[in-house]
Amino acid sequence: MAERILITGSGGREHALGWKLQSFDRELFFTPGNAETCQLENAKNMGVQPTEVEKIADLAKDEHIDYVIVGPEEPLGLGIIDTLTSCNIPSFGPTSVAARLETSKAWAIDFMLGQHIPHPTTHTFQEIDEATLHVTNRGWKHVVIKVDGLAAGKGSVVPSSEKEAQDALIRMLVKKEFGKAGETVLVQERLTGEELSALAFSDGQTVVPLLVAQDYKRLKDNDEGPNTGGMGSFATNPPLVSKELLQKIHTTILQPTVDGMREAGTPFKGVLYAGLMLTKGGPKVLEYNVRFGDPETQPLMMLFSRNLLFALQACSQGTLHKDHVGFRRGSAVCVVLASEGYPENPKKGAIIRGLEKVDDPNIQVFHAGTIFKRGKYKVNGGRVLGITAFGATLQDAAKKAYSVIGKHAIHFKGMQYRTDIGIKYR
Ligand code: AMP
Ligand code: GLY
C-alpha cells in the first residue's frame, strides 16, 4: 500500500519538502498547503491550519497517515509531536519541551550557559525601568533587543538610534505588542561578523549536519531595510567555509546542544537549526530554531541526494547515521518574490504572471503565499514564491534563478525581491 505522508504548513519550505518526497508510491497530504503543493504527484491540500493540533491528529487517524512532518514552529511549541505520539502516529520534530530551544530565547540562553555553548552575553528583563537603564548604560550601539517568545521573525531589534532602542522596549514591555511572548525581554551584546545557518538532523544522540546555508534576512539589497522572514538563500557543495570551521560548529555547538538536551531528559529529535554569527572569537549562537529554515530548505532540498523520508524517519526512530545525508556537488540559490507592502503590510490579490515560462528541471518555483482562483494564480501572503535554481557554481545558479524573474517572465504587481542573492554575500 502507498505510504501516506502528511506535511503541515503552507510555505516554500513545505513545498520543497513535498517536492523532494513526492513519488508514485506515496500519497502526500498538506495542511493547508498552497496553490502548488496539491499539484505534486499524488498530493492533496486539506483545509486545516498547522496550529489546529487536535484536528491534525484526527485527520491523521482518519486518513491512516503513516508519518507526519511538521514545518513551522508554532505547532511544535503547542505540542503537536506529543499529541501525535500519544495517538501512536509517527512524526518528525521535537516535543514541546525540546522545542523550548526556539520557543523561549531566555530558556535557550540558560541552557547554553549550562552547556558552555558560545553565545552573546545576555540579560533578561521584565521591568521597563531596569531594561531602559541597562540599555542606556551599555549604549544602544552595543545591544540587540529581543522578545523571549515566538514572534514570526519580528521579535528582534538591532537598534540604529537610542530612540529606536527605547521604543522597542516600550513596545515590548509597556504596550505589550507581543503579548505573552514579550513579557520577558532579552538585551544582548551586539556581535559583528558573517551570519550562517547551520542545520543538522538529530535522533536525540547522533548529529548529522546538512550543508551550511546563508539566509538574506533584510528586505533590500546590500542588507538594507527591515528584517523579514528571509528574502533568499543559497547553499553550495562543497561549502564556502573551511572544514575546520564546520568541525568547530559541530563540536562546540551542534553536538553539545543535542547532548545537553538528552542529559536533561528532553532529547532533541528533528532538525536543529543554529543561527550563527562568525565572530573573531569563533562561531556563536544568535538563536536556535527547532525546524527547517525557510528559505534555507529550498536550496538544501535541491541539493539533497539521499532518501529524505528514510533520513527523517531515522531521526524519529533513533537510528540516524551519516549515510542518511548526502548532497550532490554544485550550488542552489533561492530568490524570494515578496508581495507589495511586505513585511509590514503585505497586499493580497495580485495576479501572478509568467509561471508557464519556466521549463527547466534545474529551476523550481516553490510556492508560498499563493492561491489558485478562477484559473489564475494570485498573491495570498507576504512571501509569495521562491525561485530556486541549481547550477555547477553559485554564479550559474544565481544567473539561472534571475533569468526567470521580471517583466518578460515571472512577475506580479508590486513584486519585491533582492537582486544580490548568491551574488553578493558577506
Ligand atoms: P534572531 O531573531 O535572534 O534570529 O535575530 C534576527 C537577526 O538579528 C539575526 O539574523 C541577526 O542579523 C540580528 N541579530 C540577532 N542577535 C544579534 C546579536 N547578538 N548581535 C548582532 N546581530 C544580531
Ligand atoms: N530563515 C529563517 C528562519 O527560517 O527562521
Side-chain angles (χ1 to χ4, degrees), residues 19 302 328 358-366 388-391 400:
W19 172 76
M302 268 218 135
R328 63 169 160 161
V358 180
D359 183 23
D360 176 344
N362 285 322
I363 305 177
Q364 290 300 324
V365 178
F366 292 125
T388 309
F390 171 82
K400 222 174 267 172

Side-chain angles (χ1 to χ4, degrees), residues 105 119-122 142-147 153-158 188-193 195 215 217-218 227-228 273 275-277 285-289 426:
K105 287 186 195 288
H119 63 280
T121 307
T122 305
H142 303 293
V143 300
V144 176
I145 300 168
K146 303 182 178 185
V147 295
K154 292 179 190 147
S156 295
V157 177
V158 184
Q188 199 161 67
E189 165 195 15
R190 191 183 301 191
L191 303 176
T192 50
E195 275 186 60
D215 177 19
K217 286 209 162 68
R218 301 291 188 122
N227 262 334
T228 70
Y273 161 166
L276 306 178
M277 183 80 91
V285 179
L286 297 183
E287 66 157 354
Y288 285 115
N289 294 316
R426 281 163 284 168

Side-chain angles (χ1 to χ4, degrees), residues 19-232:
W19 172 76
K20 194 74 207 169
L21 287 165
Q22 67 182 338
S23 159
F24 70 92
D25 57 355
R26 278 189 197 142
E27 285 187 52
L28 302 181
F29 298 77
F30 288 87
T31 52
N34 57 45
E36 270 301 280
T37 49
C38 52
Q39 299 300 324
L40 294 168
E41 196 165 357
N42 303 323
K44 278 190 209 158
N45 287 351
M46 314 295 283
V48 179
Q49 293 303 317
T51 48
E52 296 180 305
V53 169
E54 296 293 336
K55 280 195 187 166
I56 291 177
D58 288 343
L59 180 71
K61 277 186 260 174
D62 294 347
E63 293 286 350
H64 305 287
I65 297 294
D66 296 301
Y67 198 60
V68 177
I69 300 163
V70 180
E73 59 275 21
E74 293 92 340
L76 294 168
L78 291 171
I80 191 168
I81 300 296
D82 312 68
T83 301
L84 293 167
T85 306
S86 70
C87 304
N88 292 319
I89 301 163
S91 55
F92 179 78
T95 58
S96 69
V97 281
R100 277 181 299 179
L101 283 171
E102 177 166 1
T103 58
S104 170
K105 287 186 195 288
W107 189 90
I109 294 287
D110 279 345
F111 170 81
M112 287 189 271
L113 274 171
Q115 300 300 317
H116 308 288
I117 294 168
H119 63 280
T121 307
T122 305
H123 293 82
T124 57
F125 299 92
Q126 274 142 358
E127 301 297 333
I128 183 74
D129 294 346
E130 284 174 34
T132 306
L133 186 66
H134 182 81
V135 168
T136 307
N137 288 342
R138 294 277 149 146
W140 60 268
K141 282 186 185 157
H142 303 293
V143 300
V144 176
I145 300 168
K146 303 182 178 185
V147 295
D148 173 48
L150 295 180
K154 292 179 190 147
S156 295
V157 177
V158 184
S160 46
S161 66
E162 171 77 25
K163 183 173 180 317
E164 202 184 319
Q166 300 301 350
D167 283 353
L169 291 175
I170 291 168
R171 287 198 291 119
M172 293 169 185
L173 287 168
V174 181
K175 296 190 181 158
K176 309 226 182 277
E177 281 181 18
F178 295 86
K180 232 176 140 37
E183 275 177 5
T184 296
V185 163
L186 289 75
V187 180
Q188 199 161 67
E189 165 195 15
R190 191 183 301 191
L191 303 176
T192 50
E194 186 181 336
E195 275 186 60
L196 211 57
S197 303
L199 283 80
F201 285 142
S202 167
D203 65 358
Q205 180 121 19
T206 301
V207 178
V208 182
L210 310 185
L211 289 173
V212 286
Q214 193 142 17
D215 177 19
Y216 293 69
K217 286 209 162 68
R218 301 291 188 122
L219 182 69
K220 294 183 188 286
D221 284 9
N222 299 316
D223 291 329
E224 287 173 10
N227 262 334
T228 70
M231 291 298 290

